[in-house]
Amino acid sequence: MMSIRNALLGRLTTLFRQLRSQLQPFVQQTSVIEVRREHLKLLALTIRLFAIVGISSIILLAIDFRSGLNGVGALACGAIPVLYVLIVLQEIRWRRGGEDRVFLRRSLAILAAQGVCWGVLINSALTVANGSQRSLLAAIVIALISTPLVASPLSAAIAFWLPSAISGVIFISRVEMFDPYLMLCFLGYANFTVAAMVISNRFMLERSIGRISLERQNETIALFLQDYVDNGSDWLWEIDADLTLRHVSPRLAEVARQPAHELEGMPLVDLLHVDDDEAGNVPLVRLLKDRAPFRNLTLTVRVGSEVRWWTITGRPVTGPGGCFQGYRGIGSDITEARRAEDRVRYLASHDSLTGLANRQLFRDCLALAQSGGDGTVPGSQRPESPQQRCVVLLLDLDRFKSVNDSFGHAVGDELLIAVAERLRRCVREGSVVARLGGDEFGILTTVQDAPEAAAIAQRIVETLSRDYALAGGRQTIGASVGISFVGPDDQTPVDCMRRADLALYAAKAAGRGVHRIYADDMINDQHDRLTLQADLRFAIANDGLTIRYQPIFDIRDGRIKSVEALCRWNHPTLGAIPPSRFIPLAEETGLIAELGDWILAHACDAAAGWPCGVRISINISPLEIKGGDFAVRLDRVLKDTGLPPERLELELTEHSYLDAARDSLETLQGLRDKGIRLILDDFGTGYSSLSYLTSFMCDGIKIDASFI
């Protein structure tokens, strides 16, 4: 008997472990509180049924054994209905808001007590039972261990099953003519009931957890949908089989700027104005007609007097039997994003300051002109006649840098905006006007012939040379223009731009404020210029230059007061190259600082050996002073040569003073403070106003011959 009980307990322990391992993944999917709540709901569903069946059974059993039960049996018989009433009361109390833990703990205790009482009652009744009553008791034993099959949770089922199974084993052991096979059959059935309880509870738990998860998902989806409808930038839309709106969301009514009740029943195509071909919404009509799904379809919608952009996604809805019931989908107002994208595209192809086309757009239009187009911005007017030719005009502002440096970038920007506005008025509609960078502009237009192109360029020069009323006062600048026709043999836009640039350089070399049309000999001039630039760089680095010294006499006593240093270049193959040629070349190519340092070093070194009363006079380019470190370089030369600052004179032209920026004037004043003399050179070639002499910081004046 002991071995049988041990085997039964071992089997129960194994089953509990298997049950826990099998149910753990399901329990982990949801919270412990929710799972416990589901257990208690299932327990509450079976308690009243158990109570009715149990009380009915105990009444019938008490009637059958009404005079044969002993004291213990009678006590158990009376306790069983009381326990059923108690557990029903516990269930009622829990439904009214009782604590889950208390209900479960008390229910387990009552169920275990019921199992014990049933076992005591059966074994007590066995001593006085006749043959038919023993069969009834055996049937009750089987019923007791079968009842927990529909009980949940498993702990409640085991609480009732375990004492019932033990009482059954005791009952079979006490029967006369003990049959071991009967005991084995009972234990096998008991084992089966335990397995069935595990499976039944697992199935019910799976369904409970599934229902909990589904409810949670539905709640989450409902919250998301409600938040989507109330606060989202997108909206839900739905149409019926007649393609009319229904269940209009508040957000849709908001973006459509119409009350929801007015939108209800409105055809979707009427809301979107898809009959308008210019709106680009025709594909939607075809998709709705074909009942095809669509995704992120961009539509142009007129909301009131404003044109906006929407994207909609929709899928057809079918009912039983595949019957078409309409569409459901989502929509979004992408107007702001669309405008932002258009703004980005605009900024990528236009100058942010002037609103003109930028260099990239200018080259794209030029490439279009070279490929056979008209070279105009898409959507502009076409040439008036097929005989017109595309022409490129490159222009550079004269004296813009001095205005920008003297009055600041704000005034400089204001001047560029005014120039851009004047350029727009100088060309016909459909021409491309671009700011290529800094103070350089480009125009792509069409003309009949070269004289017409020259007339446009002259009009531009005259227009841009008029005074500008700016925040910094009235300003006057000029412009030089280079012209190049778009040729059929151009490989890239760079070829045409290079020719126009050569023409612009020729205009600057001609004295600025003029225009030049590209000619083939300009390429040779450019080649010669590049070659001369390389030779000048080599001459500076290898002392290929010389300095001539021109004395300056005092006419009162005939003595030499100073000597002017004049740089000369005797080219090995080209011979003597005048300063009027290589000095501007050095300024344009950035070699002026190196050339100036070379002249300063050699002239000051030579003057250091002259008599103390003789000064050395050296011409200085304004570009040297604008470099910012001129004073430092000059101090280094004076220190290396040992020449006192009082014996050095620097000559600057009248234009240099007029165009000098504030930092350059401060540099010049600093040089005067050190004892260096400043000489105003070529007075009379600029504004030639004697009143300017009062504002110039100079120690001497050299009057140009043309002035006297």
Side-chain angles (χ1 to χ4, degrees):
M1 181 64 66
M2 186 62 66
S3 61
I4 294 176
R5 293 179 180 176
N6 292 336
L8 180 60
L9 292 175
R11 179 58 179 168
L12 291 175
T13 302
T14 303
L15 287 173
F16 288 151
R17 291 176 179 174
Q18 293 176 352
L19 176 65
R20 183 174 60 183
S21 62
Q22 292 174 354
L23 296 183
Q24 188 67 23
F26 302 100
V27 175
Q28 290 177 348
Q29 296 177 5
T30 185
S31 68
V32 176
I33 296 177
E34 290 175 315
V35 173
R36 182 189 300 138
R37 194 73 177 177
E38 283 298 308
H39 284 167
L40 297 182
K41 288 181 181 179
L42 295 174
L43 177 60
L45 289 175
T46 57
I47 281 178
R48 296 192 182 188
L49 178 61
F50 286 169
I52 294 174
V53 175
I55 293 175
S56 300
S57 299
I58 197 62
I59 291 174
L60 294 176
L61 187 62
I63 294 174
D64 195 13
F65 289 87
R66 56 185 175 274
S67 60
L69 293 176
N70 56 25
V72 177
L75 182 60
C77 184
I80 289 175
V82 174
L83 292 173
Y84 277 118
V85 172
L86 287 177
I87 197 170
V88 170
L89 293 176
Q90 290 297 323
E91 180 262 341
I92 294 174
R93 183 177 181 181
W94 174 78
R95 287 184 181 274
R96 293 179 177 178
E99 295 185 10
D100 293 349
R101 292 181 178 273
V102 174
F103 175 51
L104 180 59
R105 184 172 63 251
R106 292 179 179 179
S107 297
L108 293 179
I110 294 173
L111 288 172
Q114 286 178 345
V116 172
C117 290
W118 272 109
V120 171
L121 175 60
I122 291 172
N123 283 279
S124 297
L126 180 60
T127 57
V128 297
N130 54 33
S132 60
Q133 290 176 332
R134 290 182 179 181
S135 299
L136 175 61
L137 294 176
I140 292 177
V141 169
I142 298 300
L144 290 176
I145 64 172
S146 301
T147 299
L149 288 175
V150 295
S152 182
L154 186 61
S155 57
I158 294 299
F160 185 81
W161 176 89
L162 184 58
S164 301
I166 295 174
S167 64
V169 172
I170 298 173
F171 175 82
I172 295 175
S173 301
R174 295 179 57 200
V175 176
E176 296 180 359
M177 301 297 293
F178 171 74
D179 188 350
Y181 295 102
L182 179 61
M183 178 63 73
L184 292 176
C185 290
F186 177 78
L187 293 177
Y189 182 72
N191 186 54
F192 165 77
T193 56
V194 171
M197 283 189 295
V198 172
I199 296 173
S200 176
N201 274 266
R202 178 180 178 182
F203 174 73
M204 287 187 289
L205 183 59
E206 288 180 5
R207 293 193 60 182
S208 299
I209 293 177
R211 186 176 60 81
I212 293 173
S213 300
L214 183 59
E215 290 178 353
R216 180 182 297 175
Q217 291 176 4
N218 291 337
E219 291 176 359
T220 302
I221 293 174
L223 289 174
F224 279 142
L225 287 177
Q226 189 62 39
D227 182 71
Y228 188 83
V229 171
D230 295 341
N231 304 315
S233 59
D234 299 345
W235 67 85
L236 303 176
W237 61 272
E238 184 177 355
I239 57 176
D240 55 21
D242 296 328
L243 305 183
T244 60
L245 290 167
R246 63 180 183 180
H247 303 151
V248 177
S249 64
R251 177 60 179 163
L252 175 56
E254 179 184 348
V255 297
R257 299 176 186 174
Q258 296 185 52
H261 67 273
E262 293 183 5
L263 295 176
E264 287 283 351
M266 176 185 292
L268 180 64
V269 293
D270 291 349
L271 173 64
L272 303 178
H273 303 283
V274 295
D275 292 333
D276 186 0
D277 291 342
E278 294 183 359
N281 300 337
V282 176
L284 177 62
V285 178
R286 184 173 61 253
L287 292 169
L288 293 176
K289 182 179 179 180
D290 296 340
R291 298 177 180 177
F294 48 87
R295 182 178 181 84
N296 293 333
L297 186 64
T298 301
L299 306 175
T300 305
V301 182
R302 184 172 297 277
V303 180
S305 60
E306 182 183 7
V307 175
R308 301 187 69 84
W309 288 269
W310 292 358
T311 60
I312 63 173
T313 298
R315 294 181 61 85
V317 179
T318 56
C323 178
F324 176 71
Q325 294 183 337
Y327 272 85
R328 289 196 188 102
I330 60 174
S332 177
D333 189 323
I334 61 169
T335 302
E336 299 306 322
R338 180 72 174 263
R339 289 173 179 170
E341 291 176 1
D342 292 343
R343 179 62 178 170
V344 170
R345 284 193 294 267
Y346 177 84
L347 293 177
S349 59
H350 290 76
D351 176 54
S352 59
L353 176 64
T354 62
L356 301 178
N358 61 12
R359 180 180 293 272
Q360 184 59 49
L361 180 58
F362 188 80
R363 287 187 174 182
D364 292 342
C365 294
L366 181 55
L368 177 63
Q370 291 174 329
S371 64
D374 59 4
T376 58
V377 176
S380 61
Q381 296 181 352
R382 311 296 275 180
E384 297 177 357
S385 66
Q387 289 76 26
Q388 288 186 328
R389 302 173 59 189
C390 291
V391 64
V392 173
L393 293 85
L394 291 186
L395 59 107
D396 189 73
L397 302 182
D398 301 330
R399 297 186 299 277
F400 169 77
K401 184 172 178 57
S402 62
V403 174
N404 195 58
D405 292 343
S406 300
F407 297 94
H409 293 290
V411 175
D413 291 346
E414 186 182 358
L415 178 57
L416 291 174
I417 295 173
V419 169
E421 184 59 32
R422 292 189 183 185
L423 286 177
R424 290 190 183 97
R425 297 196 299 263
C426 287
V427 296
R428 65 167 58 94
E429 184 180 358
S431 301
V432 181
V433 182
R435 182 189 177 200
L436 305 181
D439 60 345
E440 184 181 5
F441 294 83
I443 297 175
L444 178 62
T445 186
T446 54
V447 296
Q448 293 284 354
D449 48 27
E452 183 180 358
I456 294 175
Q458 184 61 32
R459 183 165 65 248
I460 291 173
V461 171
E462 294 175 356
T463 301
L464 298 186
S465 298
R466 300 193 189 105
D467 289 351
Y468 296 84
L470 306 176
R474 303 192 67 83
Q475 302 293 336
T476 303
I477 60 172
S480 303
V481 182
I483 305 171
S484 174
F485 286 91
V486 179
D489 298 331
D490 293 337
Q491 298 296 322
T492 64
V494 177
D495 298 329
C496 185
M497 295 281 288
R498 182 170 58 86
R499 293 197 304 269
D501 192 61
L502 290 174
L504 176 60
Y505 174 77
K508 291 180 179 180
R512 300 178 180 270
V514 297
H515 65 272
R516 289 291 183 268
I517 298 178
Y518 170 78
D520 291 337
D521 58 357
M522 292 180 181
I523 294 182
N524 296 330
D525 293 342
Q526 176 71 0
H527 180 268
D528 294 343
R529 178 170 172 268
L530 294 176
T531 302
L532 196 63
Q533 174 185 342
D535 293 343
L536 178 58
R537 187 183 301 275
F538 181 82
I540 295 173
N542 296 275
D543 291 336
L545 304 171
T546 58
I547 297 181
R548 304 296 183 185
Y549 297 98
Q550 177 176 286
I552 300 176
F553 293 90
D554 188 339
I555 60 175
R556 292 173 296 182
D557 55 14
R559 289 188 300 176
I560 298 177
K561 305 297 291 183
S562 63
V563 176
E564 182 177 4
L566 303 174
C567 184
R568 296 293 182 263
W569 183 18
N570 189 25
H571 194 277
T573 58
L574 301 179
I577 298 178
S580 60
R581 184 178 180 186
F582 71 81
I583 295 296
L585 178 64
E587 291 179 336
E588 295 171 5
T589 58
L591 291 174
I592 190 63
E594 299 179 32
L595 177 60
D597 289 348
W598 186 90
I599 296 174
L600 281 171
H602 287 74
C604 291
D605 184 64
W610 297 345
C612 295
V614 179
R615 295 185 293 270
I616 182 69
S617 182
I618 303 174
N619 290 279
I620 299 299
S621 169
L623 297 181
E624 294 183 70
I625 304 175
K626 292 180 180 179
D629 61 344
F630 176 74
V632 176
R633 294 176 1 237
L634 182 58
D635 288 341
R636 185 168 57 249
V637 169
L638 294 177
K639 182 179 180 180
D640 293 342
T641 60
L643 182 70
E646 296 79 8
R647 295 183 57 193
L648 176 62
E649 295 179 344
L650 299 180
E651 297 186 13
L652 290 93
T653 64
E654 181 183 354
H655 287 288
S656 300
Y657 275 100
L658 293 175
D659 295 340
R662 179 178 301 176
D663 55 348
S664 298
L665 295 176
E666 292 177 354
T667 300
L668 294 176
Q669 184 60 49
L671 297 178
R672 291 191 71 197
D673 295 341
K674 295 179 181 179
I676 299 175
R677 292 167 53 86
L678 300 181
I679 305 299
L680 176 62
D681 194 10
D682 294 338
F683 180 77
T685 60
Y687 289 87
S688 305
S689 174
L690 295 177
S691 62
Y692 277 105
L693 297 179
T694 60
S695 60
F696 291 155
M697 55 178 76
C698 60
D699 302 289
I701 301 174
K702 294 178 66 176
I703 302 176
D704 188 77
S706 62
F707 190 64
I708 55 176

